[in-house]
Amino acid sequence: METETRAHRKKWRTIRLLTFTSILAIGALGALIFSFFIYIKILGPPPLAIPQSTLYYANDGSVIGESNSGEKRYWVKLDDISPSTIDAAIAIEDRTFYNHSGFDFKRIVGAVVANVKAMKKVQGASTISQQYARNLFLTMDKTWKRKISEAIYTIRLEGNYTKDEILEGYLNTINFGHGAYGIEAASQFYFGKNAKDLSIAEGAMLTGIPKGPGIYSPLINYEKAKKRQLLILKSMQKTNMITAKTAKEAGEEQLIFTGKHPHHRADSAPYFYDIVKKELLTKVGLDERVLALGGLKVFTTLDPKQQEIAENVMNETFSKDSDIQVGFAAMDPKTGFVTALIGGRNYDESPFNRATQAVRQPGSTIKPLLYYAALERGFTPSTLMRSEPTTFKFEGDTEYTPHNFNNRYANSGVTMAQALAVSDNIYAVKTHLFLGEKVLVDTVNKFGIASRMAPVPSLALGTSGVKVVELLNAYSMLANGGKNVEPIFIQKVVDYRGKVIYEVEEKEEQVLKPELAFIMSQMMTGMFDHKLNGYATVTGASITNQMSRVYAGKSGSTISDSWMAGFTPGLSAVVWTGYDQGKEITLTADKVYAKNMWIRFMERAIKGQSEKLHTFRPPAGVTAVPIDPTNGKLATNLCPVFRLTYFEKGTEPEEICTEHLLTGPN
């Protein structure tokens, strides 16, 4: 009896010891699991640093360029993928996706049994979450270290992202072959359409490819791709995603494959494209890697229609045998949006941008800025100065003798309006010296030109260099009534999640007096007006026969530069032509390229647009009176010609022309 009691006690001690040990083991295991999840929580959500293509858009939504690492991937939201394609992926890859926590243990056991029976791997058990983890962070090697890392990443994904976020990430990262990564790139490559527009048959075909892109791509092996598509349709039917009838119809659908990626280098506007990339780095503040692989959407100001017109006009205007170069830019004067740009005649031969980098002497195109300064200081379009050969003498016995084109002088008084129309250099220098050389320097800066100006007498004739886009900016301020603008190339930048990370600010600052800006623009229409002919021909006479509307403009030339700049209220454009090394322009044909390219561009770009957009409308503070262009006085019926001329109210001439009382209008 005593022996039985000792045995009984020993048995219970053993049971208690085993129980205690079990409790300790369970506690330790629980603590270990708890610690593991604390560790996972501390690690937080894994960073989703996925290389994605950055796309560049024109102002009409078309893609003008792309940057990537050779993997074309365009991230789209789950809502932008056709529901049947999503169903197809779940049906073939992970039917219990929305019910497990990252691992399908029943499927794992089934796969192990199947693989043991076959003595080789015939069935996989990776869930969509595991595959997404593998796509994001890991290599495809088969070591235990990789498998453990994959499991940890999977748990982190499941613990920090929703099922829809994981599914969206998976569909955007899988490899579909031919350089297409993600469902959007695959849809565009194989079918030439967006993922949201995929049919059931197309979606089933695509979701079968990632199992082995080199085997199941329909462009490589159509038979195997077709068999896998039918398998996926059958799986969708089994899971009640589609009916048997729908599966049959989808299986019989004839698919048309494009096999072409839609986005390439910006062949149509490479110089513009380069500026945008530079501004993304300097102005927006992105780094090279984010720019190249961040999946950004960059919305630019480029107008594809205007860009095409500009390039066509350049090609038909310039002789193929000429080495002369071109810099061109067009802008919406109201917004500053640059709508077209050419930096040279051949980007592949020379990527140097002559529209934004070259600093060249503007010649007489500087005169509207000089005369605007004069208007601010009491001049009017009728202000008279004598045009005759003149030598200006300064302290230190220095002299300066400017000349008019072809040495033509009125040898009498001429008005500012006429002096601008015929580009009289004597009038310009006299005005410049009367105002003071520093005035033009300050005025040029007011017009947004940052290039350095030398305060010398010849500055009135454009001897200090400017850039094409700077002159375009200045003329746009006259076109928009004196509001501050600057050349803008990027409207908005959006990251791959759709968050706006940069957007141009809309601001309105009145810099010039609206009345004087309008008067100046009207004076600039004079270069095309034969009524202002007198001792010299108006400088725009050679292109007036190509004009269908009123333009304001000014040409300019030096021995090595030829310019034409001008605008309507809705569009401004500047053309520079010359030789890169500053060689003298001697051929007559080379001297007319700028004017011809400018007028041809303007006429075609504006064609079909609203007349209201391009009509000059006077502000309330100006008045128009008929003026005899030869003397600036109020014209009468006896004057042979007159021009309706605008003045700031209260500054219009009161003196009536009496020169034709005896001779009459003839």
Side-chain angles (χ1 to χ4, degrees), residues 282-504:
T282 59
K283 191 172 184 178
V284 181
L286 303 175
D287 61 43
E288 292 274 7
R289 179 170 175 78
V290 171
L291 178 56
L293 306 173
L296 306 176
K297 288 184 172 67
V298 181
F299 297 90
T300 75
T301 61
L302 187 76
D303 185 314
K305 178 186 173 184
Q306 289 189 21
Q307 182 67 28
E308 183 180 7
I309 291 171
E311 292 177 1
N312 289 341
V313 165
M314 176 186 69
N315 291 331
E316 70 184 48
T317 301
F318 288 75
S319 168
K320 292 181 174 60
D321 298 326
S322 175
D323 293 329
I324 201 165
Q325 277 294 349
V326 62
F328 167 87
M331 175 191 285
D332 180 338
K334 295 181 179 64
T335 61
F337 290 178
V338 177
T339 51
L341 184 137
I342 295 173
R345 293 179 65 186
N346 190 310
Y347 180 85
D348 292 327
E349 290 181 3
S350 173
F352 178 72
N353 195 325
R354 295 157 188 86
T356 61
Q357 293 176 283
V359 179
R360 303 296 294 246
Q361 292 183 345
S364 293
T365 59
I366 202 74
K367 289 176 182 175
L369 311 191
L370 168 67
Y371 293 150
Y372 175 84
L375 291 175
E376 280 190 322
R377 289 158 179 81
F379 282 56
T380 75
S382 288
T383 298
L384 288 167
M385 283 193 184
R386 189 171 178 82
S387 171
E388 61 185 358
T390 306
T391 296
F392 299 91
K393 297 183 179 181
F394 307 95
E395 292 181 6
D397 295 327
T398 58
E399 296 182 350
Y400 175 54
T401 306
H403 299 279
N404 280 351
F405 179 70
N406 285 338
N407 285 311
R408 290 189 176 182
Y409 306 91
N411 291 311
S412 63
V414 297
T415 67
M416 182 194 288
Q418 191 172 35
L420 181 63
V422 301
S423 204
D424 190 294
N425 289 337
I426 304 302
Y427 194 107
V429 175
K430 283 184 176 180
T431 303
H432 177 47
L433 295 176
F434 178 84
L435 298 177
E437 294 162 342
K438 186 72 165 52
V439 169
L440 181 53
V441 174
D442 293 340
T443 302
V444 166
N445 291 335
K446 182 190 291 188
F447 274 87
I449 295 176
S451 294
R452 183 181 174 276
M453 298 287 116
V456 295
S458 62
L459 181 60
L461 307 184
T463 52
S464 287
V466 300
K467 299 174 182 177
V468 167
V469 290
E470 289 182 317
L471 190 64
L472 177 66
N473 188 82
Y475 276 41
S476 292
M477 290 177 64
L478 292 173
N480 69 22
K483 295 181 177 64
N484 185 40
V485 290
E486 61 180 83
I488 294 172
F489 299 90
I490 302 170
Q491 296 189 57
K492 183 171 65 174
V493 181
V494 178
D495 68 13
Y496 78 100
R497 286 292 190 185
K499 179 184 177 182
V500 177
I501 59 176
Y502 170 82
E503 190 166 14
V504 65

Side-chain angles (χ1 to χ4, degrees), residues 79-101:
D79 290 341
D80 291 323
I81 304 171
S82 69
S84 61
T85 301
I86 296 172
D87 288 343
I90 293 174
I92 194 64
E93 295 293 342
D94 191 355
R95 295 181 186 179
T96 61
F97 171 69
Y98 281 101
N99 299 317
H100 62 63
S101 298

Side-chain angles (χ1 to χ4, degrees), residues 33 52 94 171 215 223 248 394 439 567 613 621 634 657:
I33 294 172
Q52 298 177 47
D94 191 355
L171 289 170
I215 301 172
E223 288 186 8
K248 183 175 183 297
F394 307 95
V439 169
F567 54 85
L613 181 63
L634 291 175
C657 175

